[in-house]
Amino acid sequence: MTTPLVLIVDDESSLLEFLALLFEGEGYRVETAESMHGAREKIARGRAFDLVMCDVHMPDGSGLDLLREIKDSQPQASVIMMTAYTSTKSAIEAMRLGAYDYVSKPFDVEELKILVQKALEKTRLVEENVYLRRELEQKYTFSNIIGKSRPMQEVFALVERVARTSSTVLVEGESGTGKELIARAIHFASPRAKHKFLSINCGAMPENLLESELFGHERGAFTGALKEKKGLFHEAHRGTLFLDEIGEMTPPMQVKLLRVLQQKVVRKVGSNEEEAVDVRIIAATNRDLSEMIAAGTFREDLYYRIQVIPIRLPPLRDRREDVPLLADYFVRKYAQDMGTPPKRISPAAMAILERYRWPGNVRELENLVERALALTASDVIEPLDLPGYLRETQPTLGEEARLPPQGLDLEEYLDTLRAEMMRQALERCGGVQTRAAELLRMSFRSFRYYAKKAGVVGASNEAETDLELEAPA
Ligand SMILES: Nc1ncnc2c1ncn2[C@@H]1O[C@H](COP(=O)(O)OP(=O)(O)OP(=O)(O)O)[C@@H](O)[C@H]1O
Ligand SMILES: [Mg+2]
């Protein structure tokens, strides 16, 4: 919680003014309202109050109604009710409705201050819990990072091992390969999981802003620094700080970061004091840092500090066997989000997905599946439900498509190639010929013809074939 924000609601303007001064003096930000109406307006503006102090008897309604509304719209806020005289009935009602406490006027100022401190402390705990729960709900367990390909299995094993340490990790990979996902997985599998995981994009802001975001600043450190501010290194104490796009950091910031990593102390902008911090750093980049070092734009000493453990995420096109898994996973995930039953991706559509180059990697696949789910009316996603540019990609010819020195019998070669493709298609479709034909964009009739000719389909498949012929296409 940054500086606490307090709302005081009372129709007695002199008391309102007094309380505002009192709590501003305590270092809180204070807003006031003289009527229920005024209070509702402030709340409706959507600012999250940490504490609301409210008179029970207001000229335009009961403070208890306001309490009820606040519990609905701002559940994080602690509420203290104030009454002009001891009314046991409204006090009990206030507590029942979830007020933190109530006080009767006139009140003892010192007691009130302590009560307010305690109420704010409770808000802070609630907020922390909400934060932790929200992060945990996202369950960055390995089961939510999909990948059966060898390179991804190796990444998982590495993640598990580094999670136990506090070493600095550098995650490298093209855009959309899952760098942030991996960073979170490391944090949540580590002993630091009960503390915070915070992230910042080093390329998204000017240098001086980045510096004060990372290290904090003293009040008056520069024009506009009206209050003292904690930096992310402080906030992430005992947790993990994810420095995204580290390659975008300017050389002077690189020097400052290097100092923090070497000495494990940070100094706020405008301060002379150093404070020890215990923060695990995970950095990520989609640039080639070694190239940047050669070009003199990234410090070599910083590079060696951050890449104590390097994790390279391969582009999706180098692990195509993960495509069907990921696609199925996203279909289920988005169907659940949209509250609709999951759809099937037809083998032909899946084949297109497997063949595509995925310049935007997993993120592109995820977006595409989400879009296809929303746009497909039937319960099967077919090639036509995919964007045109995917369908246009032609298969590339491999090494085997070389004309041997002695030449070859082209027809025979094409027959072999066709038979091999049909065999693979059948295998992928669990022997169901209609699907295999679909996968190869062949009519069922010609599929059967060539299958017989090449002996691809055994006798056992004949019965199934006949049944399928009768089924509607
Ligand atoms: N292996 C995976 N399993 C499941 N989801 C994944 C996987 N990899 C990436 N994603 C999803 O793809 C999206 C992009 O991942 P993420 O943001 O981690 O990528 P990034 O490498 O940080 O990309 P950028 O460099 O563009 O910031 C996210 O929605 C993430 O959940
Ligand atoms: Mg990212």
Side-chain angles (χ1 to χ4, degrees), residues 142-160:
F142 295 111
S143 56
N144 271 0
I145 308 181
I146 311 298
K148 66 167 183 185
S149 60
R150 251 196 90 141
M152 284 310 282
Q153 287 297 319
E154 279 165 14
V155 166
F156 295 164
L158 192 55
V159 165
E160 216 163 346

Side-chain angles (χ1 to χ4, degrees), residues 7 10 122 134 138 151 164 208 211 222 253 400 459 463:
L7 174 65
D10 202 311
K122 176 171 171 259
R134 207 184 302 134
Q138 300 183 5
R164 281 180 242 134
N208 50 4
E211 184 177 3
F222 48 84
M253 274 309 293
E400 61 281 5

Side-chain angles (χ1 to χ4, degrees), residues 366-424:
E366 180 171 1
N367 292 341
L368 196 131
V369 167
E370 185 184 6
R371 173 180 174 277
L373 260 187
L375 296 182
T376 306
S378 77
D379 58 3
V380 184
I381 297 172
E382 298 285 0
L384 280 175
D385 298 316
L386 301 175
Y389 63 86
L390 284 195
R391 279 177 273 126
E392 281 149 22
T393 46
Q394 288 300 322
T396 43
L397 294 175
E399 265 305 303
E400 61 281 5
R402 291 243 172 270
L403 181 60
Q406 71 280 19
L408 55 62
D409 180 331
L410 183 60
E411 285 306 320
E412 200 185 295
Y413 175 73
L414 292 178
D415 280 344
T416 318
L417 192 61
R418 180 186 294 108
E420 175 57 21
M421 290 297 145
M422 291 172 71
R423 199 191 53 73
Q424 287 187 29

